Amino acid sequence: MIINTDLEQKGNQFPRQIIKYKKDVDVLSFFAENDVALQVTVVRDSVLRFRYATTGTFDKDFSYAITKYASRGYNKLEIVEHENAYQITTSKLICNINKDDLRVSIFDAQDKALISQDEIGFHWEESYEHGGNIVKMSKMSNEGESYYGLGDKSDHLNLKGKRFQNWATDSYAYGKETDPIYKAIPFFIGLHHKKAYGIFFDNSFRSFFDFAQEKRNVTSFWAHGGEMNYYFIYGPEMNDVIESYTDLTGKPHSLPPLWALGFHQCKWSYYPESKVKEVTSTFRKLKIPCDAIYLDIDYMEGFRCFTWNKDYFPDPKRMVKELADDGFKTVAIIDPGIKVDKDYWVFQEGLKNDYFCRRADGPYMKGKVWPGECYFPDYTKPEVRDWWSGLFKELIEEIGVKGVWNDMNEPAVMEVPNKTFPDDVRHDYDGNPCSHRKAHNIYGMQMARATYHGLKKFCYPKRPFVITRSAYSGTQRYTSTWTGDNVATWEHLWIANIQVQRMAMSGYSFAGSDIGGFAEQPSGELFTRWIQLGVFHPFFRVHSSGDHGSQEPWSFDEDVTDIVRKFIELRYQLLPYLYTAFWNYVDHGAPLLKSLVLYDQADSQTHYRTDEFVFGEQILVCPILEPNAKGRRMYVPKGKWYNYWTKERVKGGKEMWVEADIDRMPIFIKEGAIIPVYPVMQYVDEKPIDELTLSIFYKEGREDSQLFDDAHDGYDYIKGRYSLRTFKLTGRPNELIIQQHKEGKYITTYETFMLNIHGLPFKIKEIQIDNMKIPLESIKTNGKNSMVVDKNFNEVHIIGE
């Protein structure tokens, strides 16, 4: 007899007492009496992985986020059993596992200070709707603790007192309070008592983060499925946390080609060919530098990917070559939706090989996007990624397109309430079959990965350039990104500044916003201020929708055009500085932008600053975020800084008023910095550089600077054909010494440096280059301390009277 009874709602469940422990090299396993298991993996002295199972056994260990190139190994590992806890000790951390309930406490191994401790720790709730568990973790929020990270969230930089969720979502015209939006990056940094740690919750299900919102002394994170699987990363410097996280999830596989760091112009849409040519020729006529022009969905035949509308673009190969001859790289959009059309070759191939996603009961996943009804490739299947990569052969190898822009890959679906696939869609997940609940947040990442490999293959020997809208942790290995469909408002200028800073501290530095706003129309003033900010974002692109006015640099009045030209020229002058910073990012994982808290976490005044940031290591910028401004108050961090415009030196560690009419923005250079400067060109490598300028900012004391250079494209730099120059500046009251050390086999086109020295506190009496005295007549007498030296000098010694 079958009896209907109410299903027992068990609520939260918790680990019980540890009954067994075992060690297997770097994996320490603890087993509780109610079958809960905890694996602690010592990844590095400062990186511990915590992985929980509620049935005593773990599923296959698989992650799209963790790179195979991640560093491993430690200097010390001891485990001691105490009466109440097991204690794990590395050279950086002490981790206690409570015997009663598996709760974790982590301390600094040097001074024994508490860094992090569980509140109720790991717990879970059975998911009766879908099966499996809702997995949860709660930790104590320490006194004065601040929180940062989580990717593209559009709220305040400091996450304290807020709650967020990760579910990649097409969020047209999102606002400051909109959540979730396009990306899912489940990594955050905690900072308290001048020490920082990071937690990466590697779980691709819909996840949630509460930073002491519900309870003021508790921070928690949870997911609607999967494992409680997180990495604890200790600094104590925030920069070290970010570099370790980026090492774990992957640095970009290669430097971008230098042209990708130039100015890009985009619109939905430039068509037909005559319109594209009109835009590009106007850039050259008005002498506004630009390196890339974009083709949005209207270049396709009925929005079918990998096709061309021959009415608009009768001979794409010829057009792309003509644009290239004029210095423009062509970037084309590709979306995931493949039109259901039996006469469409991409659809035929996908159908024949069963490459499209299916619903749980077997039918293909069908959804409406730009072409109408579409099927969607399952990019979590290796053979689908290989197929997708191969589809780029004609576009890249034969027609000559240089970059691809992946959009709508959250994945976005039109005219359905949830804006995406239903939960029951099935995915291969690289041999770990699952529903869309698990695969949703990594769908865009895997599309971008497949696109990257296609470009890498077909643009060889040049480097690929790919952009993605949706991303999960680790996507920075393959692509750049932008912040999605924003709006032409002053609030969105503030949001853009926050988002790109946050992306950098979330391991994803190659990011930018749609300058000027995608939706609606900016004023000339707003557009100007946005360009000024965009100069200091790694990805520098104007983009707008087609249902309002134009948004090219000349679309406003002549004054706006002149100011915008001046700032785009500044970007091109700073390219060697940005390229060097990019090399540090690719080599070490160092973020390209540093929020003030990242620059000086010991100064509590920086913990809630949102506007100011350091570009690279030595340039401080602060955008103007309000209309009609003649200047603004800003916080200048510790040290001394030169005003870029006036060369006046100011002492930091305080807030101050800075003049900044419409033709200026607050820019400061760190004293002691040596900033490499290119001559202005209309596009990257328009002509060979005969002489490179080094702008030198005197400091009493020592400061190091770097200059990285190579062929600006291709892979020879990996084989040692690069040039890395380290400059050591030493300033004293009556002398300035600049020493240079060079490594790498690349020979630069320039033979000389023009040294422009700012802030010299003495009159020059004598100059020695490599211990040889040179005549003072070589010093220019135009009121500036300038001189030309051979690029291979070892030491320049300037002596004052």
Side-chain angles (χ1 to χ4, degrees):
M1 186 169 107
I2 299 174
I3 299 173
N4 289 326
T5 58
D6 290 334
L7 194 64
E8 182 185 359
Q9 297 291 336
K10 293 181 179 176
N12 287 331
Q13 299 173 73
F14 299 85
R16 293 188 192 155
Q17 190 170 7
I18 294 175
I19 57 171
K20 190 171 71 169
Y21 150 75
K22 72 173 184 178
K23 179 178 182 292
D24 184 7
V25 190
D26 57 355
V27 179
L28 314 171
S29 300
F30 304 89
F31 301 91
E33 63 183 7
N34 62 338
D35 292 330
V36 177
L38 164 62
Q39 279 187 356
V40 181
T41 304
V42 181
V43 182
R44 293 164 60 184
D45 286 299
S46 58
V47 180
L48 303 177
R49 180 188 182 191
F50 296 87
R51 190 179 178 207
Y52 297 82
T54 59
T55 59
T57 58
F58 291 89
D59 292 335
K60 180 182 171 185
D61 192 11
F62 177 79
S63 169
Y64 284 119
I66 306 300
T67 175
K68 63 183 178 183
Y69 304 110
S71 304
R72 296 188 72 91
Y74 44 85
N75 296 306
K76 176 182 179 180
L77 175 57
E78 293 176 356
I79 181 158
V80 178
E81 182 176 354
H82 296 293
E83 182 180 350
N84 298 318
Y86 289 91
Q87 185 172 82
I88 304 162
T89 304
T90 73
S91 64
K92 297 285 182 68
L93 295 170
I94 298 170
C95 173
N96 289 339
I97 312 291
N98 190 300
K99 286 184 174 179
D100 287 338
D101 51 18
L102 292 180
R103 283 189 299 164
V104 172
S105 302
I106 301 176
F107 303 82
D108 184 314
Q110 303 305 311
D111 62 9
K112 309 301 187 286
L114 177 67
I115 308 162
S116 171
Q117 65 176 322
D118 287 356
E119 185 231 7
I120 57 175
F122 172 62
H123 51 297
W124 74 98
E125 180 184 342
E126 288 186 20
S127 175
Y128 290 103
E129 184 180 358
H130 298 288
N133 296 314
I134 299 166
V135 292
K136 307 174 182 180
M137 173 61 65
S138 70
K139 294 182 175 289
M140 298 300 297
S141 182
N142 295 279
E143 180 187 358
E145 186 157 10
S146 294
Y147 300 95
Y148 307 90
L150 284 195
D152 65 343
K153 303 302 183 188
S154 52
D155 213 320
H156 196 286
L157 200 65
N158 192 330
L159 304 171
K160 181 71 172 282
K162 311 271 187 179
R163 178 182 281 197
F164 301 93
Q165 66 170 297
N166 276 345
W167 185 254
T169 303
D170 177 9
S171 302
Y172 175 80
Y174 60 94
K176 190 176 174 182
E177 306 297 328
T178 306
D179 183 62
I181 52 176
Y182 299 96
K183 294 169 183 67
I185 299 181
F187 165 70
F188 70 88
I189 301 163
L191 171 63
H192 65 91
H193 300 94
K194 301 184 180 181
K195 294 186 176 185
Y197 67 90
I199 286 181
F200 170 43
F201 180 28
D202 189 10
N203 182 311
S204 62
F205 284 81
R206 188 190 294 262
S207 59
F208 300 81
F209 295 81
D210 184 304
F211 298 102
Q213 186 202 51
E214 184 176 336
K215 295 181 181 178
R216 64 188 299 268
N217 64 336
V218 178
T219 286
S220 54
F221 49 96
W222 64 99
H224 282 177
E227 286 185 342
M228 175 49 61
N229 170 36
Y230 73 92
Y231 293 79
F232 181 90
I233 305 165
Y234 186 44
E237 297 298 315
M238 284 182 73
N239 280 294
D240 294 334
V241 173
I242 294 166
E243 288 188 20
S244 292
Y245 163 76
T246 309
D247 179 84
L248 193 66
T249 58
K251 299 179 276 283
H253 283 335
S254 68
L255 279 166
L258 186 61
W259 67 262
L261 303 183
F263 178 66
H264 298 195
Q265 183 69 41
C266 183
K267 184 177 182 174
W268 176 31
S269 288
Y270 288 132
Y271 70 94
E273 178 183 333
S274 58
K275 181 62 178 177
V276 176
K277 292 287 189 69
E278 177 193 327
V279 171
T280 55
S281 63
T282 307
F283 271 104
R284 297 296 178 244
K285 182 175 76 177
L286 296 178
K287 295 201 175 307
I288 300 172
C290 184
D291 262 278
I293 189 77
Y294 282 61
L295 302 177
D296 209 321
I297 54 176
D298 294 284
Y299 82 88
M300 305 174 193
E301 179 62 46
F303 307 132
R304 295 166 178 82
C305 293
F306 306 102
T307 68
W308 289 82
N309 184 320
K310 291 305 177 71
D311 292 332
Y312 297 155
F313 300 98
D315 189 350
K317 185 173 183 179
R318 172 193 50 75
M319 180 191 75
V320 168
K321 183 184 185 305
E322 289 170 0
L323 290 171
D325 291 343
D326 202 17
F328 287 94
K329 307 295 191 292
T330 302
V331 181
I333 195 169
I334 292 288
D335 291 348
I338 300 301
K339 184 174 177 60
V340 176
D341 176 0
K342 59 183 175 57
D343 298 322
Y344 172 32
W345 65 278
V346 179
F347 176 77
Q348 290 172 342
E349 286 187 14
L351 201 62
K352 177 184 174 184
N353 294 289
D354 197 22
Y355 287 157
F356 298 123
C357 296
R358 290 181 179 271
R359 302 292 296 269
D361 289 337
Y364 286 110
M365 161 61 207
K366 186 189 288 186
K368 182 181 177 184
V369 278
W370 299 117
E373 289 189 336
C374 291
Y375 289 169
F376 299 84
D378 181 8
Y379 299 108
T380 72
K381 204 178 220 179
E383 54 265 42
V384 175
R385 292 197 297 271
D386 289 345
W387 168 68
W388 186 260
S389 298
L391 296 177
F392 287 95
K393 179 177 173 64
E394 180 185 15
L395 194 67
I396 306 301
E397 188 176 72
E398 297 173 20
I399 293 174
V401 167
K402 297 298 182 190
V404 168
W405 160 32
N406 284 164
D407 197 8
M408 304 291 285
N409 58 347
E410 288 70 32
V413 178
M414 297 172 177
E415 299 177 9
V416 293
N418 65 349
K419 300 183 179 180
T420 192
F421 294 1
D423 284 347
D424 75 325
V425 170
R426 312 307 295 172
H427 297 271
D428 180 72
Y429 216 86
D430 278 69
N432 303 277
C434 67
S435 76
H436 193 66
R437 295 173 60 241
K438 183 175 182 178
H440 174 87
N441 281 332
I442 57 85
Y443 187 87
M445 175 196 198
Q446 294 309 300
M447 179 192 185
R449 174 188 183 185
T451 302
Y452 162 81
H453 283 294
L455 266 72
K456 184 179 180 184
K457 179 177 181 180
F458 294 118
C459 71
Y460 188 83
K462 303 300 184 185
R463 302 173 203 155
F465 174 63
V466 180
I467 319 162
T468 184
R469 191 168 74 176
S470 184
Y472 183 73
S473 293
T475 312
Q476 70 270 5
R477 303 196 292 265
Y478 314 114
T479 73
S480 62
T481 191
W482 88 104
T483 59
D485 294 343
N486 57 8
V487 186
T489 64
W490 289 93
E491 179 180 82
H492 265 272
L493 178 58
W494 181 90
I495 289 172
N497 184 27
I498 292 288
Q499 286 181 301
V500 177
Q501 288 184 57
R502 198 192 304 286
M503 288 296 290
M505 64 170 63
S506 303
Y508 208 143
S509 280
F510 198 178
S513 67
D514 283 348
I515 292 172
F518 178 75
E520 302 179 14
Q521 178 72 5
S523 65
E525 182 188 14
L526 175 57
F527 183 79
T528 301
R529 293 305 195 186
W530 213 318
I531 283 280
Q532 291 171 352
L533 173 62
V535 165
F536 298 97
H537 282 170
F539 180 48
F540 185 29
R541 181 185 75 163
V542 168
H543 182 40
S544 61
S545 63
D547 50 9
H548 59 67
S550 298
Q551 218 157 290
E552 292 77 40
W554 54 86
S555 302
F556 306 91
D557 58 51
E558 195 173 320
D559 288 348
V560 169
T561 302
D562 291 342
I563 297 167
V564 166
R565 180 192 295 109
K566 178 176 87 170
F567 274 89
I568 294 175
E569 287 177 348
L570 174 60
R571 168 65 166 229
Y572 279 75
Q573 290 174 299
L574 290 175
L575 279 177
Y577 175 85
L578 175 57
Y579 200 51
T580 301
F582 229 111
W583 172 79
N584 268 310
Y585 172 46
V586 170
D587 205 50
H588 307 300
L592 288 168
L593 303 186
K594 293 178 174 60
S595 306
L596 287 198
V597 67
L598 215 56
Y599 186 78
D600 185 10
Q601 70 189 49
D603 180 359
S604 60
Q605 291 295 317
T606 68
H607 293 191
Y608 279 88
R609 304 300 301 199
T610 57
D611 298 352
E612 310 89 343
F613 61 90
V614 176
F615 175 65
E617 302 287 339
Q618 298 167 319
I619 299 179
L620 169 70
V621 295
C622 184
I624 301 295
L625 302 171
E626 295 178 349
N628 307 313
K630 302 291 185 183
R632 65 162 294 159
R633 292 192 67 78
M634 65 173 284
Y635 191 79
V636 178
K638 68 178 180 181
K640 292 179 181 176
W641 301 80
Y642 285 81
N643 185 309
Y644 172 80
W645 306 104
T646 67
K647 303 303 184 284
E648 172 194 4
R649 193 164 13 174
V650 300
K651 186 176 181 181
K654 60 185 177 183
E655 193 172 89
M656 61 184 71
W657 173 266
V658 182
E659 300 285 340
D661 209 339
I662 187 67
D663 63 342
R664 289 189 178 185
M665 74 178 290
I667 305 172
F668 290 85
I669 313 296
K670 187 180 181 186
E671 69 166 356
I674 297 177
I675 307 292
V677 179
Y678 276 166
V680 173
M681 296 191 192
Q682 295 309 298
Y683 54 92
V684 163
D685 292 334
E686 178 189 13
K687 48 198 174 217
I689 297 171
D690 301 322
E691 185 172 273
L692 187 73
T693 298
L694 298 179
S695 289
I696 300 164
F697 295 83
Y698 173 85
K699 172 184 181 177
E700 188 172 331
R702 296 176 61 89
E703 183 75 21
D704 290 355
S705 302
Q706 290 180 311
L707 169 59
F708 177 87
D709 206 354
D710 68 354
H712 301 164
D713 208 341
Y715 297 95
D716 279 357
Y717 76 95
I718 294 171
K719 305 166 193 168
R721 282 191 276 282
Y722 64 88
S723 166
L724 178 62
R725 299 171 187 270
T726 302
F727 302 106
K728 293 186 178 294
L729 178 147
T730 306
R732 301 189 180 101
N734 65 342
E735 63 180 336
L736 177 65
I737 300 168
I738 301 163
Q739 297 168 305
Q740 178 185 197
H741 171 74
K742 179 183 178 292
E743 59 183 87
K745 297 183 282 189
Y746 180 71
I747 308 298
T748 59
T749 58
Y750 52 85
E751 293 297 330
T752 55
F753 289 128
M754 167 65 78
L755 307 186
N756 285 338
I757 305 170
H758 305 284
L760 208 59
F762 53 81
K763 189 175 178 182
I764 297 173
K765 180 178 77 173
E766 183 180 316
I767 298 173
Q768 297 175 6
I769 297 180
D770 296 340
N771 297 318
M772 291 187 63
K773 189 174 176 180
I774 65 165
L776 288 182
E777 296 80 66
S778 65
I779 299 296
K780 294 188 175 179
T781 56
N782 59 359
K784 297 180 180 177
N785 291 315
S786 302
M787 58 189 292
V788 176
V789 301
D790 185 278
K791 68 178 180 182
N792 292 317
F793 76 86
N794 291 313
E795 181 178 285
V796 174
H797 192 171
I798 300 170
I799 302 165
E801 293 183 345

